[in-house]
Amino acid sequence: MRNRKDKINSTIKSSDTEENIDKYWTRPIGYLWAVFFKKLGVHPNTVTIISMFLGAGAGICFYFDSYRYSGLQGLYINILGVLLLAWANFYDSADGQLARMTGQKTKLGRILDGAAGDVWYVFIYFALVFRMWRHPMFGFEEGCLWNILVFLYIAYDGFGCHPKQCRSSDYYRNIHLLFIKGKNNSEADTYESQKAIYDNLTWKDNFIEKFFQFFYTNWCKNQSKDTPQLQRLLTVLREKYGENIPGDFSERFRSLSFPVLKWTNALTFNWRAIFLYISCIADMPLLVITVEIFVFSAIRLHMIHYHEGFCEKLVDELNEK
């Protein structure tokens, strides 16, 4: 009979791609929720949708000032936001674990899972905008100029930095899984395959799925644009080996790709959320936005530079054979 650790491991993608916070905190709790929802017969997509509402609720809580401006009442509301966002993240883990546990993995579920985080952060970023409008800094006075600058700063992070960081982190983790577990156990989707799915859906009969598929197709398109050398490598491998990549090459790719995972982990939910929690509780919402724009963006650029570099070398080696 398998012990609990083995059961939890059977519901995750790979130990290679698991961050320690997830491994020892999020996944075990997510597993308990997955078991609970399995007994109730709840579909994984329903769990994902619930997580969207929890994350949105967290964002509303982060609109309120903390103890520096609103005393203990404000602090308690921000702590409630922390708890709601952590709860949403447990459900975000549980939906995938439940899908693997029950075999209810669907393409829509994969898309909804990615969209859940977007829903959370739409509410969170707007909450931070409204929150910061009340407290001008750097010699600014409350008014139109300060409001515009805050909105542009957070909009640049929310539209220009955050999505790119998540996109790169998600892609490199799934490409790693592609080489160690094969196509069927990876979610490294191609733009071409997703565009074909999108084109075959109709707005009349598949409105919700086509709506989410539109954004996911563009997500995959941008992942390919960000990684030209990786795309060259995948093309050469398909031409040489089809779907049967030699084991020694897969192992070599894994060894080269493994150091990247510590950077992908830095750009996923946990560290972003830790900075968010500290910033909101300490009444310094500008901190998390600044970290995302400068620190996390630098990590992403370093990650891409390293990954593209070794992919280029591997392509050259394959072409020489």
Side-chain angles (χ1 to χ4, degrees):
M1 185 175 180
R2 294 188 301 175
N3 59 34
R4 184 164 173 266
K5 183 178 179 181
D6 291 335
K7 291 178 180 178
I8 294 172
N9 288 338
S10 69
T11 65
I12 64 176
K13 295 177 182 177
S14 166
S15 59
D16 274 13
T17 56
E18 288 297 302
E19 186 189 21
N20 285 333
I21 295 174
D22 285 334
K23 189 182 297 182
Y24 299 110
W25 175 246
T26 310
R27 300 305 186 199
I29 296 176
Y31 174 78
L32 294 176
W33 279 112
V35 171
F36 173 74
F37 286 125
K38 181 183 178 183
K39 289 180 179 178
L40 293 180
V42 177
H43 194 278
N45 291 354
T46 303
V47 180
T48 306
I49 293 170
I50 296 172
S51 81
M52 293 181 183
F53 284 99
L54 291 170
I60 293 171
C61 291
F62 293 138
Y63 160 78
F64 296 93
D65 297 323
S66 187
Y67 71 96
R68 289 176 61 196
Y69 299 106
S70 300
L72 288 178
Q73 181 179 1
L75 176 63
Y76 294 152
I77 293 174
N78 277 262
I79 290 174
L80 175 61
V82 170
L83 296 176
L84 286 174
L85 192 56
W87 192 359
N89 190 44
F90 291 140
Y91 278 16
D92 188 53
S93 176
D95 60 9
Q97 291 172 283
L98 178 62
R100 284 181 282 275
M101 189 185 295
T102 60
Q104 293 177 302
K105 293 190 289 184
T106 64
K107 179 58 65 177
L108 179 59
R110 157 71 170 154
I111 296 171
L112 285 175
D113 188 56
D118 295 335
V119 171
W120 305 348
Y121 274 92
V122 165
F123 278 85
I124 289 169
Y125 286 139
F126 272 108
L128 296 184
V129 167
F130 297 139
R131 179 172 177 164
M132 289 179 62
W133 279 354
R134 296 194 296 272
H135 306 292
M137 302 169 62
F138 312 118
F140 287 95
E141 295 183 357
E142 190 171 353
C144 184
L145 179 58
W146 171 251
N147 291 352
I148 291 172
L149 291 174
V150 167
F151 179 82
L152 291 177
Y153 193 60
I154 295 182
Y156 176 70
D157 180 25
F159 291 102
C161 298
H162 184 145
K164 291 179 180 179
Q165 294 158 12
C166 294
R167 190 169 71 217
S168 295
S169 175
D170 174 77
Y171 194 44
Y172 285 139
R173 286 156 69 98
N174 279 306
I175 286 295
H176 188 85
L177 288 171
L178 175 67
F179 279 88
I180 68 172
K181 301 191 77 172
K183 185 176 180 180
N184 292 334
N185 294 297
S186 168
E187 294 172 347
D189 297 315
T190 65
Y191 166 67
E192 293 76 16
S193 65
Q194 297 311 303
K195 182 66 165 57
I197 293 173
Y198 173 79
D199 290 339
N200 286 329
L201 295 172
T202 63
W203 287 109
K204 181 180 179 181
D205 298 325
N206 314 98
F207 181 83
I208 294 177
E209 187 172 358
K210 191 174 179 72
F211 174 79
F212 284 106
Q213 185 67 38
F214 171 80
F215 293 101
Y216 186 62
T217 300
N218 281 282
W219 172 274
C220 293
K221 182 179 181 179
N222 286 317
Q223 285 179 328
S224 297
K225 282 186 175 180
D226 293 340
T227 56
Q229 297 303 326
L230 173 58
Q231 302 311 311
R232 283 184 62 211
L233 175 61
L234 295 174
T235 299
V236 171
L237 287 170
R238 281 194 297 269
E239 291 173 351
K240 278 183 169 289
Y241 306 113
E243 299 295 333
N244 300 311
I245 300 174
D248 58 342
F249 185 90
S250 293
E251 187 56 39
R252 183 156 182 233
F253 184 94
R254 179 186 183 184
S255 66
L256 291 169
S257 172
F258 190 76
V260 175
L261 297 180
K262 65 177 179 290
W263 301 116
T264 66
N265 289 336
L267 298 181
T268 51
F269 172 82
N270 291 323
W271 288 102
R272 196 180 302 275
I274 288 170
F275 280 107
L276 175 67
Y277 299 158
I278 293 171
S279 299
C280 289
I281 288 176
D283 260 332
M284 298 187 296
L286 188 65
L287 173 62
V288 64
I289 303 301
T290 302
V291 167
E292 290 187 353
I293 290 176
F294 294 100
V295 178
F296 287 174
S297 291
I299 290 173
R300 174 181 177 266
L301 291 175
H302 169 75
M303 182 172 66
I304 291 175
H305 176 75
Y306 171 81
H307 202 282
E308 287 287 278
F310 80 70
C311 284
E312 184 176 15
K313 291 179 181 178
L314 290 176
V315 168
D316 291 340
E317 291 175 10
L318 287 169
N319 286 334
E320 289 173 0
K321 291 183 177 180

